[in-house]
Amino acid sequence: MSGNPEERPERPSEVDGTAHLFRALGKIIKKLRSNARMSQLQLAEATHCSEDLVSAMERGIRTPQPDFLTRADPVLGADGILIAAVEDVREALARARVRHPDWFQDFADEEARALALHHFDVQVIPGLLQTPAYAEAVFRHRRPLYDEETIEKRLADRLSRQAIFEKWPPPTMSFVIEEVVLRRHLGGTEAFKVQLRRLTEVAQLRNVHLQILPTDFREHPGLEGAFTLLTPKGRREVAYIESYGHSRLITAPEEVRMYTERYGIIRAQALSPEESLEFIEKTLGEL
């Protein structure tokens, strides 16, 4: 689900100060890394995360998780400074709740608790898989134009949803992406290379199946556009659709069944996960 939340009230994290805490931590991490003469890539490798995540944390648009702070402290020679912030971060995370607009909030709540999530997209890389630079390009290309503050808020909201990859046990996830999406280099070539590398990383996670749907099919069951299926804990599967800021969370079993059937056919037509990974790597090598 690409997800483009429209105007929304100020987030609770902005009201109670937790956003300021996360931005300050990002600046501290950046300074410690600079003092240690480490690149973002070196820090990412040493703490078992992605370079993109380190960049996002330093810019204050991703929350430094307690596990990361614990791993990064000795690597950066922080002498306990980052570990000392762990409890404050845990408390802040418990208080903070990203406030999406009303039309998007129901889905965001269900997504965060989902046991399983399946998504089909025809225009862009799904929001859960977007890198900061790619997501920013999506928001900057939006018409009418967003102002800088709105872009920053949309970006923070989108990246915050990616905490789903840090859950344990992890939800079962699958994504089917139209081939044409990989031909649309949003953000420019270099930014798109980073985005493709992110896809290769996600494609190799044990709980994720990522597939590419080739363009050269004469029949296409998904011409009505992108949609998401998710299974909330203790509840029936639901579907979510969105177009130009208008969204709908579908709970009627018979209607959800139609999307489930559609997704099954789309997955059957798509390349296998192994073939899809090879396709992404080949596309990356051609850039």
Side-chain angles (χ1 to χ4, degrees):
M1 200 274 305
S2 54
N4 287 318
E6 297 298 321
E7 295 302 325
R8 60 170 175 78
E10 192 173 36
R11 292 176 294 159
S13 62
E14 293 163 345
V15 174
D16 66 18
T18 54
H20 298 296
L21 168 63
F22 299 146
R23 283 196 290 269
L25 268 175
K27 292 178 181 178
I28 291 172
I29 291 168
K30 183 176 181 179
K31 180 62 176 175
L32 288 169
R33 179 180 60 76
S34 177
N35 289 347
R37 299 181 182 232
M38 295 182 71
S39 67
Q40 290 181 341
L41 177 58
Q42 288 172 323
L43 178 57
E45 291 175 343
T47 53
H48 311 295
C49 66
S50 70
E51 180 182 5
D52 201 49
L53 177 58
V54 171
S55 173
M57 287 189 291
E58 290 186 353
R59 289 187 288 152
I61 57 178
R62 281 292 299 272
T63 303
Q65 296 294 312
D67 288 348
F68 172 83
L69 296 174
T70 301
R71 293 193 302 269
D73 193 278
V75 170
L76 295 173
D79 197 25
I81 292 174
L82 296 181
I83 291 176
V86 166
E87 286 306 312
D88 287 331
V89 169
R90 285 201 177 109
E91 291 177 7
L93 288 172
R95 292 196 309 270
R97 179 174 180 264
V98 174
R99 175 67 184 273
H100 298 285
D102 291 341
W103 65 262
F104 186 77
Q105 189 63 57
D106 287 345
F107 174 78
D109 290 344
E110 298 291 5
E111 181 184 72
R113 297 190 297 262
L115 298 178
L117 182 146
H118 308 287
H119 179 77
F120 169 62
D121 216 314
V122 299
Q123 294 178 322
V124 294
I125 303 296
L128 286 178
L129 307 182
Q130 290 178 8
T131 60
Y134 184 95
E136 183 176 348
V138 171
F139 291 125
R140 287 196 180 280
H141 292 163
R142 189 257 194 194
R143 295 295 187 274
L145 294 172
Y146 284 140
D147 59 34
E148 292 299 318
E149 181 181 1
T150 301
I151 290 173
E152 181 181 345
K153 288 180 178 180
R154 298 293 179 270
L155 187 57
D157 282 353
R158 176 157 300 179
L159 297 178
S160 73
R161 290 169 47 218
Q162 296 178 4
I164 194 171
F165 288 101
E166 299 164 15
K167 286 178 57 178
W168 188 263
T172 298
M173 292 189 279
S174 71
F175 301 89
V176 180
I177 307 171
E178 287 271 6
E179 175 187 343
V180 67
V181 173
L182 301 188
R183 308 301 183 189
R184 186 176 295 125
H185 303 167
L186 292 183
T189 301
E190 293 306 313
F192 196 67
K193 285 181 181 179
V194 175
Q195 177 63 75
L196 290 181
R197 292 191 192 102
R198 173 59 178 163
L199 292 185
T200 63
E201 293 172 0
V202 173
Q204 297 178 73
L205 297 176
R206 289 188 298 161
N207 63 309
V208 176
H209 290 259
L210 177 60
Q211 295 176 259
I212 303 301
L213 183 65
T215 302
D216 59 353
F217 268 105
R218 295 183 180 180
E219 298 180 1
H220 195 315
L223 292 178
E224 293 182 25
F227 61 90
T228 301
L229 292 164
L230 58 83
T231 305
K233 185 175 183 179
R235 293 173 53 194
R236 294 175 179 268
E237 186 176 53
V238 299
Y240 176 83
I241 56 175
E242 176 187 319
S243 177
Y244 291 100
H246 298 282
S247 70
R248 185 179 172 214
L249 187 64
I250 301 167
T251 59
E254 183 57 28
E255 196 169 357
V256 172
R257 185 199 63 77
M258 291 190 294
Y259 282 95
T260 302
E261 180 179 292
R262 185 177 302 170
Y263 191 68
I265 297 172
I266 289 171
R267 289 193 71 180
Q269 291 182 340
L271 300 177
S272 71
E274 294 76 15
E275 292 169 334
S276 297
L277 178 57
E278 292 175 0
F279 185 91
I280 296 169
E281 290 174 336
K282 181 176 181 291
T283 303
L284 178 58
E286 294 171 348
L287 293 179

